[in-house]
Amino acid sequence: MRGETSLNSDRCAREKFAPALREANVQAGVVSSELFDFANLLDLNPRLERALTDPSRPAKDKKALVDQLLDASGALPLTREILEDLAQRGWSKVDHIANAVEDLAVDATLYYADVKSVTATVAIELAKIHSAFLNMPQVRSRLSDTQVSADTRIKFLKQLLAGQRLNPLTIVLAEHATRDLRNRRFLSTLSWLINEISRHMGEQVVTVVSAVPLTRDQFSGIISAYSAKLGRPVHINSVVDPKVLGGLRIQFGAEVHDNTVVAQLQQLRRKVGVSA
């Protein structure tokens, strides 16, 4: 969990640069790529993280270090401005600055998706990838395996997705989820990205787990019911899991409504156990 100082620094930076990323138009895509690369650089260099987050080091020195790192890369001025800003903020732990760089990289990706009018499409496609791999433990394990190189994991992911007609930004985010594991599992990163897209779109994520894909009428009915219940637009993250047998498991936030066959059988077993 991030400390209060890091949370505040992350939030303030994202709020500060949201207008600039929105106005960057197609260049937001370049900014996102440059920020993802810098987050990866930080992950691979703990000494650099410490240098950029040392509270005893003058802010101008940390800004100069960022400039030195970027001078040879030809990074866009907005990328440089974002990284300079982050380097001069306070952080509860040294690795939290990489979290913030990643957050802003995702923000930039989503503003670029807005320009391309594909934001919702990317969310749906990421949810489909999540569902497809849910019951493939060996696949999930390989995509989260820190004992092999990131290039090996990405190559494996590309093999899995070969032939799928996915938006290029979907592939960018899916590859990021296995390239920069950052002490996470592949599927948990996909879930986080889906939530970030919904937050970006001003929607509440409602996760629906079912044994078979939802019908169009089910989608419409759930959206209508939960939009009214929550008082805001909702985005359905549909997860197909044959192990639930039937019924639906619906979760938003910490609240769960589970009327799947599996849940009903578990309740029945508990009742029989108590009565016995």
Side-chain angles (χ1 to χ4, degrees), residues 197-261:
I197 296 173
S198 296
R199 180 196 60 78
H200 177 83
M201 297 174 69
E203 298 178 334
Q204 169 74 49
V205 177
V206 175
T207 299
V208 182
V209 181
S210 57
V212 296
L214 297 175
T215 66
R216 186 182 298 273
D217 287 343
Q218 285 175 317
F219 256 108
S220 299
I222 294 171
I223 289 173
S224 177
Y226 279 85
S227 294
K229 179 182 179 66
L230 301 175
R232 61 186 299 190
V234 301
H235 168 74
I236 303 299
N237 175 24
S238 178
V239 176
V240 177
D241 183 358
K243 290 187 294 185
V244 304
L245 301 181
L248 300 175
R249 182 180 186 273
I250 302 177
Q251 177 174 354
F252 55 95
E255 187 169 338
V256 179
H257 298 158
D258 195 338
N259 67 348
T260 61
V261 171

Side-chain angles (χ1 to χ4, degrees), residues 36-221:
F36 277 134
D37 287 345
F38 199 86
N40 187 49
L41 175 66
L42 290 173
D43 287 335
L44 296 174
N45 293 272
R47 290 180 61 186
L48 175 58
E49 289 182 321
R50 287 193 292 272
L52 292 175
T53 57
D54 184 353
S56 68
R57 188 170 188 170
K60 64 178 182 180
D61 286 357
K62 291 187 275 190
K63 176 179 178 295
L65 177 56
V66 169
D67 291 338
Q68 179 183 347
L69 291 167
L70 296 180
D71 281 345
S73 68
L76 291 179
L78 179 54
T79 302
R80 183 182 295 265
E81 184 181 356
I82 289 171
L83 293 173
E84 290 174 346
D85 178 271
L86 292 176
Q88 296 175 82
R89 293 184 182 273
W91 303 98
S92 306
K93 292 179 62 177
V94 295
D95 59 345
H96 289 177
I97 189 172
N99 293 337
V101 175
E102 180 186 41
D103 286 344
L104 278 152
V106 172
D107 289 348
T109 304
L110 298 183
Y111 282 116
Y112 180 56
D114 291 343
V115 173
K116 295 294 187 178
S117 300
V118 298
T119 313
T121 297
V122 171
I124 291 169
E125 291 179 349
L126 286 176
K128 287 181 178 179
I129 294 172
H130 186 284
S131 291
F133 296 166
L134 186 65
N135 292 306
M136 298 181 181
Q138 292 183 331
V139 167
R140 300 199 315 267
S141 178
R142 289 184 62 179
L143 291 171
S144 303
D145 186 0
T146 58
Q147 301 303 310
V148 300
S149 69
D151 288 343
T152 298
R153 295 193 299 271
I154 292 171
K155 181 179 179 180
F156 179 55
L157 178 65
K158 287 181 176 179
Q159 291 172 347
L160 294 169
L161 300 180
Q164 302 295 316
R165 300 181 63 181
L166 298 172
N167 188 276
L169 286 181
T170 302
I171 296 173
V172 166
L173 291 176
E175 288 184 0
H176 170 68
T178 193
R179 174 188 292 110
D180 298 321
L181 293 172
R182 319 198 67 244
N183 297 316
R184 299 174 304 213
R185 307 293 290 176
F186 175 75
L187 284 193
S188 65
T189 303
L190 284 190
S191 295
W192 169 67
L193 289 169
I194 293 166
N195 283 327
E196 285 296 293
I197 296 173
S198 296
R199 180 196 60 78
H200 177 83
M201 297 174 69
E203 298 178 334
Q204 169 74 49
V205 177
V206 175
T207 299
V208 182
V209 181
S210 57
V212 296
L214 297 175
T215 66
R216 186 182 298 273
D217 287 343
Q218 285 175 317
F219 256 108
S220 299

